[in-house]
Amino acid sequence: MSTTASTVLLASGDCSATNSHAGSNCGFQAPSLTDFNLRPIFHLGSLGFYKPELLALICAGLVIWFFWAAFSKPKLVPTGVQNLGEMGYLFIRDQIARPMIGKNGDRFVPFLTGLFFFVWVMNLMEIIPIAQLPVTSFIAFPASLMLMVYITYWYQAIKHQGFFGFLKNVVPKGVPLPVLFILVPVEWLRVLVIQPFTLMVRLFANMFAGHLLLATFTIATWYLASATFSALFAAGSAVMVVVLTAFEMLIQALQAYIFTMLTAQYVGEGVQAAH
């Protein structure tokens, strides 16, 4: 087919994602940033309600339902959902709260447990049929979580150390005076800018990149499988989809753990001066 004819084919809409395949003159349509420009499900006045917001509400509801089912009528010998809930709670308490915060860590366990499971379930939306979209791949959600964490962080820091006392305590003691001229701005920049920025971006970037990578191989499998001569390549791409799905499941849990662990570390730094 000539270039002009291909242009006409593209313009006619026959090269959509469903019609494009390796045996046609349509090129491979890889996922891009435009795939994150979603249409609103409905409008509330001038405000649109989008799929990520719906998924976030569903995730919050699932987490609330899980812990309500686990602890609304607790038994002395836990079974079923209560057993799973206690395992999750004890994991956060023993592996995150107490090591990161110390003796005062137990009172932050409910907050950290809810945070961990909420982030994890939002990440899991990437591999759930129909949803197929990690909520945290939209930076507004990691940014909102970061703001919540940092409000808690600074509240605890000012409550226990005072504003200026906290800024003083983040700088290690016993450092020679010339070094302080470099260290003080670096440490203040860390607690004021670097920590919140990296807490937000780490979660967003991992889920955003992982979603694009998984979507690329999924679309490539469909693209190649629609042409007989590409069946072998389609099989290879399908294997990569399975491998990447398993890998993403690990990353989803790991990112929820890292986000919660860093939150506990920051709260611990606010509750008591660093040693």
Side-chain angles (χ1 to χ4, degrees):
M1 185 179 293
S2 66
T3 303
T4 303
S6 299
T7 304
V8 172
L9 182 62
L10 285 167
S12 66
D14 291 332
C15 283
S16 63
T18 54
N19 294 329
S20 178
H21 57 82
S24 71
N25 288 304
C26 303
F28 172 63
Q29 298 183 15
S32 65
L33 294 177
T34 58
D35 295 318
F36 289 85
N37 295 330
L38 305 177
R39 293 182 178 179
I41 300 174
F42 60 86
H43 285 87
L44 294 172
S46 60
L47 300 176
F49 187 80
Y50 294 83
K51 181 178 179 180
E53 296 169 330
L54 174 62
L55 293 178
L57 289 175
I58 292 173
C59 292
L62 288 173
V63 173
I64 293 171
W65 170 83
F66 173 77
F67 284 103
W68 178 85
F71 298 117
S72 61
K73 296 179 180 179
K75 299 178 181 178
L76 184 61
V77 180
T79 58
V81 179
Q82 182 184 343
N83 194 37
L84 292 175
E86 288 192 8
M87 288 174 59
Y89 186 89
L90 293 176
F91 171 77
I92 300 299
R93 187 194 71 181
D94 297 337
Q95 302 300 322
I96 297 180
R98 288 181 177 177
M100 293 291 110
I101 302 176
K103 62 181 181 180
N104 296 316
D106 285 8
R107 63 194 182 97
F108 294 100
V109 175
F111 168 65
L112 295 173
T113 301
L115 181 65
F116 172 82
F117 280 93
F118 183 50
V119 173
W120 187 22
V121 175
M122 285 199 295
N123 292 346
L124 281 172
M125 288 296 109
E126 178 182 17
I127 60 172
I128 301 300
I130 300 177
Q132 296 176 312
L133 185 70
V135 180
T136 47
S137 64
F138 292 80
I139 198 167
F141 292 94
S144 299
L145 292 172
M146 179 273 293
L147 288 174
M148 179 183 66
V149 168
Y150 250 66
I151 289 172
T152 305
Y153 173 36
W154 277 97
Y155 172 78
Q156 295 298 326
I158 295 172
K159 177 182 177 181
H160 290 89
Q161 303 177 55
F163 179 77
F164 294 105
F166 172 65
L167 291 179
K168 177 184 177 182
N169 290 330
V170 296
V171 180
K173 295 178 174 60
V175 178
L177 182 60
V179 178
L180 285 177
F181 287 102
I182 300 175
L183 191 59
V184 169
V186 169
E187 286 297 319
W188 288 358
L189 185 66
R190 174 180 66 85
V191 297
L192 293 171
V193 178
I194 297 175
Q195 283 184 173
F197 179 77
T198 55
L199 184 67
M200 170 187 66
V201 170
R202 182 185 293 104
L203 176 60
F204 159 73
N206 276 277
M207 300 315 303
F208 178 83
H211 179 62
L212 281 182
L213 189 61
L214 185 59
T216 298
F217 279 97
T218 302
I219 296 173
T221 301
W222 171 266
Y223 176 79
L224 295 169
S226 54
T228 305
F229 68 88
S230 298
L232 180 62
F233 300 104
S237 182
V239 170
M240 284 300 301
V241 171
V242 175
V243 172
L244 286 173
T245 299
F247 181 71
E248 278 299 296
M249 290 178 68
L250 174 63
I251 295 299
Q252 289 158 3
L254 183 61
Q255 287 304 314
Y257 173 79
I258 292 174
F259 194 94
T260 309
M261 182 183 67
L262 290 175
T263 297
Q265 179 185 333
Y266 300 157
V267 171
E269 188 178 22
V271 170
Q272 55 188 355
H275 297 288

